[in-house]
Amino acid sequence: AQKITQTQPGMFVQEKEAVTLDCTYDTSDQSYGLFWYKQPSSGEMIFLIYQGSYDEQNATEGRYSLNFQKARKSANLVISASQLGDSAMYFCAMRELYGQNFVFGPGTRLSVLP
Amino acid sequence: DSGVTQTPKHLITATGQRVTLRCSPRSGDLSVYWYQQSLDQGLQFLIHYYNGEERAKGNILERFSAQQFPDLHSELNLSSLELGDSALYFCASSASQGARETQYFGPGTRLLVL
């Protein structure tokens, strides 16, 4: 069974600092995809970054990067140079190759302080 | 803007009633997914359609049903509504159905059952 754990219900970070949001996952599959989404207070779900289980390099998208440690089954999101607009809920999600579902973690609420 | 549209944005109704939520996927996307997000359950996968066919069911109640039409838009029907059905309902679409396929979310329909 799939399972996503995000152990940080809430995080604070100072503006312009970097922050790491933790995500660990549980799967017996070798092929899977890992995703991060942002949900601001307005409610929409915004795709941030994707990491494939066979990707050798960590994914990066602008200020977002994914610290992927396959052996540890962790896929932490790193946000560099935090901005006030980064304040939101962040969800880690996983999908196995033959799985039909996205499974989401409980989320981490990030607050960026001025 | 993800390219996924959902109507209506807000819906207020009474217990026992039936409502229909509508979703138009991104142009060219064949897969449509429905999710329910409530405070106590988090993001829950409901159902997945691919090119008009049901592909997977998640935690979808028997009172709920969905379909995907030939033009690829989808509708989620919720009947005999209960207070606990109040939630944010998301539709997401992806080009196909593989593990690597990013799902792009619509803005959601916020349902309030009184």
Side-chain angles (χ1 to χ4, degrees):
Chain A
Q2 301 176 11
K3 186 179 174 184
I4 301 284
T5 302
Q6 294 180 255
T7 57
Q8 307 151 315
M11 289 277 288
F12 289 91
V13 65
Q14 208 68 38
E15 196 178 6
K16 299 179 186 172
E17 299 285 312
V19 63
T20 298
L21 306 183
D22 294 341
C23 171
T24 58
Y25 57 92
D26 183 24
T27 180
S28 54
D29 276 21
Q30 295 302 309
S31 184
Y32 48 89
L34 296 158
F35 304 78
W36 277 91
Y37 287 83
K38 171 185 177 182
Q39 187 177 36
S41 57
S42 52
E44 73 265 36
M45 293 285 287
I46 302 167
F47 166 71
L48 295 178
I49 195 166
Y50 161 81
Q51 178 84 43
S53 59
Y54 289 118
D55 294 342
E56 293 190 354
Q57 301 223 335
N58 286 341
T60 60
E61 289 285 347
R63 295 187 297 111
Y64 304 108
S65 60
L66 207 150
N67 184 0
F68 180 47
Q69 298 185 47
K70 192 171 181 177
R72 291 176 135 191
K73 292 187 177 177
S74 76
N76 298 338
L77 177 70
V78 181
I79 305 174
S80 62
S82 296
Q83 302 172 357
L84 295 178
D86 294 334
S87 294
M89 281 289 285
Y90 288 81
F91 292 95
C92 179
M94 178 176 70
R95 190 179 191 188
E96 294 166 339
L97 176 63
Y98 297 108
Q100 296 299 326
N101 307 350
F102 256 40
V103 175
F104 283 83
T108 295
R109 183 172 296 281
L110 177 67
S111 299
V112 180
L113 305 174
Chain B
D1 186 350
S2 67
V4 179
T5 60
Q6 287 186 250
T7 56
K9 281 192 167 49
H10 302 277
L11 200 46
I12 302 175
T13 188
T15 53
Q17 295 297 305
R18 172 190 167 95
V19 298
T20 298
L21 313 184
R22 183 189 167 101
C23 167
S24 292
R26 293 186 321 156
S27 178
D29 282 0
L30 299 178
S31 272
V32 170
Y33 306 79
W34 285 97
Y35 293 88
Q36 179 194 56
Q37 186 179 32
S38 59
L39 284 174
D40 55 345
Q41 297 281 341
L43 255 167
Q44 298 284 318
F45 165 73
L46 295 178
I47 198 164
H48 168 212
Y49 278 85
Y50 176 77
N51 203 20
E53 291 187 7
E54 181 186 304
R55 285 306 174 100
K57 269 185 174 178
N59 301 319
I60 188 166
L61 300 170
E62 286 193 11
R63 300 183 284 108
F64 295 2
S65 64
Q67 53 183 329
Q68 186 181 28
F69 294 87
D71 67 352
L72 301 177
H73 91 271
S74 178
E75 292 180 357
L76 179 67
N77 300 297
L78 315 176
S79 61
S80 303
L81 284 168
E82 301 175 0
L83 297 177
D85 298 328
S86 296
L88 186 54
Y89 291 84
F90 284 109
C91 162
S93 76
S94 66
S96 184
Q97 52 183 344
R100 291 174 168 264
E101 291 290 338
T102 297
Q103 294 186 14
Y104 293 92
F105 282 71
T109 293
R110 197 172 292 275
L111 173 67
L112 179 60
V113 182
L114 300 175

